[in-house]
């Protein structure tokens, strides 16, 4: 079986960022992407091409539009190398600081809570913006100053007293950073090259962003993060669809996948004869799930039995990021038609930020657009003929072959068929903080969504009211989409399903994306969002993935760095920064007495229950650890006791090695583990090993015996006396467990052997200082 350090499932904003960061650090990374690569010039444009541009391998369709239709919700997401960046509208807004809410009550009950802050994400926002390359629409330049839809939004916002802005866009308007914006000129490749090997051109303002940019003007992930990841040695395997994931005995994960062979690859052109190979299996030490909200949630729900103890919040916190599409039709100015030319420019050029106007939850309204070739068809002579056939062709593919009712393309196609989209009509795109109370579940082995707009009604009513006000100012008619008339939410930003949280009672993964109870398993896509981002979510997903990757590189490292393509035989291996880390695994077993308070008096007391833990003790910086007086390291893993509800993952943990005791010849090893019990109550295990002077025969007993108290709440150091004890007892490490522990010591970074020697020297030196013979003893 093939084995690698890290497998990344999916190549969207989470997966691409993770792949690049890990590959850059020397990790062996394999990206499994179910869709195709799309070089500039390969995106579909004709009705026949668009009719095959959907994802349904069972029907012989391998295109980039993946349409999902549920009872109360419908979505369109992307399938291809670069994920959602292939079809998104390029907006990279940061989540507003005040929208990082903490335990905010929701209208239908429960609460929304973000376990990260804007300040924690800002450095990662900076890094992503720098890597992708963002710039606002250059409205101040002569060639762009007459973009009428942008000016219309600005004028409407000014009259209504609303907050209008030009958001950061991931588009190359200029051939290189700092150069003058110019349409249709060659784009200079970055230092890491372009994985497609196809020239790119700057934006021509053709409005084709949402159906794939054939000029390569979009700074999509295939042109940025994925090209850089490949340059650093990551393998990008397209048409590899993951079908299952499971933990491996002994650690790590197995990933099962099939490899699709579309007719063009298989050597034929019969779409009715799809082919694939597999299933195949690849194993890895670390697994990053970045298959999108639906893909990641489906994999975890389908394979839930393989992950015992997975949080009960799996499938919860689903939302559509407040998405709403509306149209302003036939804008006028003093009885004259007001041209807005929605087809000129990128799809989105400007945004209006709302706060109190959206039910108090906050939102954005952005100008929309559509391709110029649609404008040409609308204004042409044969609108009722060819265009009608094209629209029916698309709808047939959506409804017939994919059995979905509608999507964004179908909505626009319907309006085109009625001649409504013209030079005086403008789509409006709304998004914001709807209520994340939807649930994802399996029904007949298929993913289903239980969610509707009722609890978000106040938000949607406020958003629509603002859109109507904009329409009124522009002298336009306001039109909802047909789906909204039935209160069906249409979203291109599905979020949630495997939300992050502070503990397993609140989320599937921790604030760094690591799944509680399953070390090395990470979630790096929209599924991890604990609620709506509010703004366009791409940048926040990418920033969280960047933060996750930083954490991964701080806590784990490869045995050696993989050679990079083209680096030559003399290439230096990548190193783990300028620090050396160390980690080991400790297992202890014993008993806890419910209701006890003094662990020394509980040994052998009737009613005691078995208790055990398995901890990964991590020293992030050996030199710092040895010089600081409290010698503190991180503790991760699980505890297992009936009084705690069985095996429970540790949400936060600390270990202190040989802190000073109350006498010069006394030391303590301290353990403080925060977790949530089976009833989602906060608990703290506070333990200590008492190392003090005595005969050498005491050394084994002192260093292998842990006295432990189980406390109510998450109790910080120094506050134990005021906390109520739930249980008390002792744990011990057996000689066999000690031998296994010694075999688990690992280091990462420069001078690992020397760092391990210093650590061991410190350990033995402290023991000698305590147990050495003393004069007169």
């Amino acid at each position: 079986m093939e084995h690698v350090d890290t497998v990344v499932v999916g190549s969207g904003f989470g997966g691409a960022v993770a792949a690049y960061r890990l590959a850059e650090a020397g990790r062996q990374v394999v990206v499994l992407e179910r869709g195709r690569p799309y070089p500039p010039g390969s995106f579909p444009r004709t009705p026949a091409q668009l009719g095959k541009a959907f994802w349904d391998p069972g029907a012989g369709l391998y295109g980039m539009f993946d349409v999902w239709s549920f009872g109360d919700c419908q979505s369109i997401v992307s399938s291809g190398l670069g994920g959602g960046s292939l079809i998104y509208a390029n907006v990279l807004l940061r989540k507003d600081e005040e929208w990082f809410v903490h335990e905010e009550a929701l209208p239908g009950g429960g609460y929304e809570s973000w376990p990260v802050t804007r300040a924690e994400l800002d450095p990662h926002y900076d890094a992503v913006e720098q890597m992708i390359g963002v710039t606002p629409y250059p409205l101040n330049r002569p060639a762009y100053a007459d973009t009428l839809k942008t000016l219309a939004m600005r004028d409407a916002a000014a009259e209504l007293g609303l907050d209008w802005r030009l958001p950061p866009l991931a588009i190359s308007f200029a051939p290189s950073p700092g150069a003058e914006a110019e349409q249709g000129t060659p784009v200079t490749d970055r230092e890491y090259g372009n994985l497609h090997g196809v020239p790119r051109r700057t934006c021509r303002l053709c409005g084709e962003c949402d159906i794939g940019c054939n000029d390569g003007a979009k700074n999509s992930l295939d042109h940025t993060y994925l090209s850089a990841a490949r340059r650093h040695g990551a393998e990008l395997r397209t048409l590899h669809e993951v079908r299952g994931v499971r933990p491996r005995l002994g650690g790590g994960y197995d990933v099962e996948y099939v490899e699709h062979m579309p007719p063009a690859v298989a050597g034929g052109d019969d779409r009715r004869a799809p082919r694939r190979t597999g299933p195949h299996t690849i194993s890895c030490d670390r697994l990053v799930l970045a298959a999108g909200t639906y893909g990641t949630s489906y994999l975890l729900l389908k394979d839930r039995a393989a992950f015992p103890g997975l949080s009960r919040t799996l499938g919860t916190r689903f939302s559509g990021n407040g998405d709403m599409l509306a149209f302003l039709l036939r804008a006028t100015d003093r009885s004259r038609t007001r041209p807005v030319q929605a087809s000129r420019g990128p799809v989105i050029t400007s945004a209006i930020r709302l706060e109190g106007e959206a039910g108090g939850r906050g939102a954005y309204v952005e100008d929309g657009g559509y391709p110029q070739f649609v404008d040409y068809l609308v204004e042409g002579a044969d609108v009722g003929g060819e265009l009608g056939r094209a629209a029916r062709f698309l709808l047939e593919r959506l409804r017939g072959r994919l059995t979905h009712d509608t999507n964004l393309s179908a909505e626009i196609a319907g309006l085109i068929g009625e001649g409504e989209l013209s030079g005086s009509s403008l789509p409006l795109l709304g998004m914001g903080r709807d209520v994340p109370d939807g649930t994802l579940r399996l029904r007949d082995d298929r993913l289903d969504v239980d969610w509707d707009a009722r609890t978000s009604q106040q938000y949607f009513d406020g958003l629509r009211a603002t859109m109507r006000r904009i329409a009124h100012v522009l002298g336009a008619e306001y039109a909802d989409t047909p789906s909204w008339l039935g209160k069906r939410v249409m979203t291109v930003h599905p979020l949630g399903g495997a939300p992050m949280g502070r503990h397993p009672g609140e989320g599937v993964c921790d604030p760094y994306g690591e799944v509680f109870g399953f070390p090395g398993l990470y979630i790096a896509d929209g599924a991890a969002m604990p609620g709506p981002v509010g703004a366009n979510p791409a940048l926040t997903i990418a920033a969280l993935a960047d933060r996750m990757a930083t954490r991964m590189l701080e806590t784990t490292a490869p045995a050696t760095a993989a050679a990079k393509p083209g680096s030559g035989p003399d290439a230096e291996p990548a190193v783990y920064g300028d620090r050396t880390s160390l980690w080991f695994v400790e297992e202890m077993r014993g008993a806890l007495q419910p209701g006890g308070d003094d662990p020394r008096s509980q040994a052998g007391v009737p009613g005691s229950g078995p208790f055990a833990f398995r901890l990964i003790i991590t020293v992030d910086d050996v030199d710092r650890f040895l010089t600081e007086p409290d010698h503190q390291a991180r503790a991760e893993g699980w505890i297992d006791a009936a009084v705690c509800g069985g095996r429970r993952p540790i949400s936060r943990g600390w270990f202190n090695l040989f802190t000073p005791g109350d006498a010069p010849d006394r030391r303590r090893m301290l353990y403080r583990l925060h977790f949530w019990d089976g009833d989602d109550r906060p608990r703290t295990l506070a333990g200590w090993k008492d190392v003090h002077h005595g005969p050498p025969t005491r050394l084994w007993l002192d260093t292998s015996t842990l006295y432990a108290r189980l406390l109510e709440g998450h109790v910080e150091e120094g506050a134990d006396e005021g906390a109520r004890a739930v249980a008390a007892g002792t744990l011990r490490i057996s000689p066999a467990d000690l031998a296994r522990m010694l075999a688990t010591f690992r280091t990462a970074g420069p001078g690992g052997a020397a760092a391990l020697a210093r650590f061991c020297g410190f350990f033995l030196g402290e023991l000698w200082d305590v147990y050495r013979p003393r004069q007169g003893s």
Side-chain angles (χ1 to χ4, degrees):
M1 180 190 301
E2 181 182 13
H3 182 85
V4 297
D5 180 83
T6 305
V7 168
V8 179
V9 181
S11 62
F13 283 97
V17 172
Y20 163 68
R21 288 291 312 281
L22 298 176
E24 182 193 35
R27 303 300 174 87
Q28 185 185 11
V29 177
V30 170
V31 177
L32 301 179
E33 166 57 52
R34 63 177 180 169
R36 306 171 183 258
Y38 286 92
S42 67
F43 291 102
R45 287 297 182 267
T46 69
Q49 291 172 339
L50 287 168
K52 299 177 184 177
F54 299 98
W55 178 261
D56 187 358
L61 294 167
Y62 303 89
M64 63 180 178
F65 297 110
D66 185 12
V67 185
W68 296 72
S69 184
F70 308 105
D72 299 303
C73 171
Q74 48 203 354
S75 297
I76 182 166
V77 295
S78 180
S79 176
L81 187 63
S85 74
L86 299 176
I87 64 171
Y88 85 135
N90 315 298
V91 177
L92 292 180
L93 279 168
R94 301 187 181 197
K95 180 178 174 69
D96 289 54
E97 185 172 3
E98 57 269 35
W99 295 353
F100 285 88
V101 295
H102 179 66
E103 296 187 358
E104 180 181 80
L106 298 177
Y111 61 90
E112 177 186 347
S113 193
W114 284 73
V116 295
T117 66
R118 170 67 179 265
E120 290 171 330
L121 272 193
D122 272 336
H124 304 284
Y125 280 138
D126 292 341
V128 174
E129 289 171 347
Q130 176 69 26
M131 184 70 181
I132 291 181
V134 300
T135 184
Y137 186 68
L139 188 64
N140 61 338
R141 311 311 299 167
Y144 306 85
D146 61 347
T147 308
L148 298 180
K149 66 173 183 176
T150 315
L151 299 176
M153 286 285 282
R154 185 188 66 182
D155 294 347
E159 185 162 336
L160 295 171
L162 299 175
D163 180 6
W164 175 86
R165 61 189 67 182
L166 295 172
L169 302 177
I171 299 176
S172 290
F173 295 105
S176 61
E180 184 71 17
E182 190 176 355
Q183 298 177 33
T185 61
V187 172
T188 303
D189 281 338
R190 302 275 192 96
E191 64 278 5
Y192 45 75
N194 181 335
L195 66 84
H196 297 301
V198 176
R200 302 170 61 198
R201 293 184 297 170
T202 57
C203 181
R204 294 186 296 109
L205 312 185
C206 64
E208 298 179 10
C209 312
D210 284 351
I211 57 174
C213 180
N214 272 330
D215 293 305
K218 289 179 68 169
N219 299 337
S220 50
L221 297 169
D222 49 337
H223 297 307
T224 54
Y225 273 102
L226 293 170
S227 286
R230 194 185 72 160
R231 178 68 176 268
H232 285 288
E235 290 187 56
L236 310 179
R237 303 181 184 177
T238 55
L239 292 168
H240 284 57
E241 183 177 14
V242 171
R243 295 292 180 85
V245 295
R246 59 184 179 273
R248 302 182 70 219
L249 292 175
Y253 299 89
D254 286 336
V255 181
E256 184 179 284
Y257 65 92
V258 297
E259 183 177 0
H260 293 294
M261 301 180 67
V265 177
D269 58 0
D270 185 358
R271 199 180 64 189
R272 294 171 297 176
R275 291 179 53 191
R276 65 171 182 258
T277 66
H280 311 284
T281 302
I282 182 173
S283 64
C284 57
D285 297 324
R286 278 157 288 276
L287 174 59
V288 177
L289 295 179
T293 292
Y294 294 138
T296 290
S297 299
Y298 174 74
L299 286 172
L300 290 175
L301 286 166
K302 183 177 75 69
D303 293 328
R304 189 171 197 161
F307 294 90
L310 195 63
S311 170
R312 288 176 293 183
T313 63
L314 179 64
T316 66
R317 303 281 177 178
F318 177 82
S319 88
N321 200 51
D323 283 2
M324 168 162 276
L325 173 66
F327 292 90
L328 309 187
L329 307 176
R330 294 179 287 274
T332 60
D333 184 7
R334 294 188 178 92
S335 76
R336 294 180 301 173
T337 297
R338 174 172 184 160
V340 291
Q341 287 187 302
S343 60
R344 185 173 188 270
V347 167
I348 293 172
T349 63
S350 67
I352 295 173
R353 184 187 181 278
L354 309 178
E355 190 57 57
E357 298 89 352
R361 292 187 57 80
Y364 282 90
V365 176
E366 298 167 352
D367 58 352
Y370 48 85
Q372 285 186 356
F373 69 80
V374 170
D375 221 13
Y376 169 78
L377 289 172
V378 171
E379 295 169 359
D382 194 21
V383 170
E386 180 143 358
L387 183 57
R389 289 191 294 273
R392 287 193 298 273
F393 185 87
L394 290 174
L395 287 171
E396 180 184 356
R397 293 303 181 272
L398 285 171
R399 295 176 178 170
R401 289 197 173 273
L402 298 181
T403 65
H404 296 312
D405 294 332
T406 185
N407 68 29
L408 183 61
S409 298
E411 301 281 4
I412 295 176
L415 288 171
I416 290 173
E418 297 170 9
E420 298 287 4
L421 285 182
S422 65
S424 61
S425 298
L426 178 68
L428 288 184
L429 308 172
M431 65 197 70
R433 296 185 56 233
D434 57 356
V435 178
D437 57 358
T439 302
L440 293 167
R441 58 169 56 93
L442 294 186
R443 182 173 298 172
D444 298 327
D445 295 325
R446 293 177 178 271
L447 192 67
D448 193 23
V449 174
D450 181 12
W451 188 58
D452 61 46
R454 282 177 293 184
T455 51
S456 299
Q457 191 67 45
Q458 187 176 5
Y459 159 82
F460 282 116
D461 286 347
L463 182 59
R464 293 173 65 240
T466 300
M467 290 178 167
R468 288 181 181 276
R469 293 169 63 204
I470 295 172
H472 178 74
V473 168
L474 297 179
E477 301 173 21
Y478 174 86
D480 284 314
T481 59
S483 64
W484 182 252
L485 299 179
K487 294 297 185 286
R488 297 189 72 200
V489 174
M490 183 199 315
T491 178
V492 293
H493 302 129
L495 301 174
M500 64 176 63
R502 296 164 297 177
H503 53 82
E506 190 174 79
V508 173
C509 58
D510 68 16
Y512 294 93
E514 189 167 20
V515 175
F516 288 113
F518 295 93
L521 177 61
Y522 294 85
I523 299 172
D525 55 25
M529 302 300 104
V533 174
N536 310 65
L539 180 61
T540 296
I541 293 171
L544 286 167
D546 189 74
R547 183 172 183 261
M548 177 201 76
T550 298
R551 176 77 163 196
M552 292 175 72
L553 295 172
E554 288 175 348
T555 56
T556 58
T560 58
K564 299 174 178 58
S567 58
D570 299 324
E572 290 281 333
V575 296
Y576 180 70
D578 57 358
R579 340 173 265 181
T580 304
S581 67
L582 175 150
W583 64 94
F584 61 94
V585 178
E586 182 178 28
E587 296 185 32
M588 300 191 75
R589 295 172 177 81
L592 276 184
Q593 172 64 38
D597 185 47
D598 182 4
R600 295 178 185 271
S601 65
Q602 302 302 318
V605 174
S608 297
F611 179 53
F613 68 50
R614 183 181 189 271
L615 302 179
I616 302 173
I617 307 294
T618 304
V619 177
D620 290 319
D621 186 334
V622 173
D623 288 338
R624 182 177 177 180
F625 175 88
L626 296 178
T627 56
E628 290 181 343
D630 59 355
H631 311 298
Q632 188 173 88
R634 289 185 294 104
E636 300 167 290
W638 49 260
I639 63 97
D640 193 349
V643 69
C644 302
R647 182 172 295 187
R648 309 302 300 168
I650 294 163
S651 57
R652 294 181 68 199
W654 302 266
F655 167 73
N656 298 82
L657 180 64
F658 293 136
T659 61
D662 54 7
D665 60 354
R666 203 176 193 101
R667 306 285 190 277
R668 278 193 165 191
M669 301 185 204
L670 304 179
Y671 296 72
R672 186 166 298 273
L673 310 176
H674 290 178
F675 63 96
W676 297 77
D677 70 11
D679 294 321
D680 292 335
R681 295 173 297 189
R683 294 287 185 258
T684 297
L685 182 75
W688 66 94
K689 295 177 182 177
D690 198 0
V691 180
H692 57 88
H693 180 67
T697 53
R698 288 195 55 86
L699 188 152
W700 169 254
L701 180 64
D702 290 349
T703 57
S704 64
T705 302
L706 178 72
Y707 301 101
R709 297 174 73 226
L710 185 62
L711 308 176
E712 284 187 345
H714 285 165
V715 182
E716 300 299 330
E717 184 179 359
D720 290 12
E721 288 186 3
R724 180 178 177 272
V726 177
T730 57
L731 294 93
R732 290 183 171 83
I733 186 170
S734 69
D737 285 337
L738 175 64
R740 281 193 292 269
M741 182 184 77
L742 295 176
T744 66
F745 273 78
R746 298 288 187 274
T747 63
L756 181 58
R758 292 195 302 275
F759 180 89
C760 292
F762 168 77
F763 187 90
L764 295 174
E766 289 291 311
L767 292 179
W768 170 253
D769 195 44
V770 171
Y771 293 101
R772 64 182 171 84
R774 285 171 169 75
Q775 189 172 2
S777 62

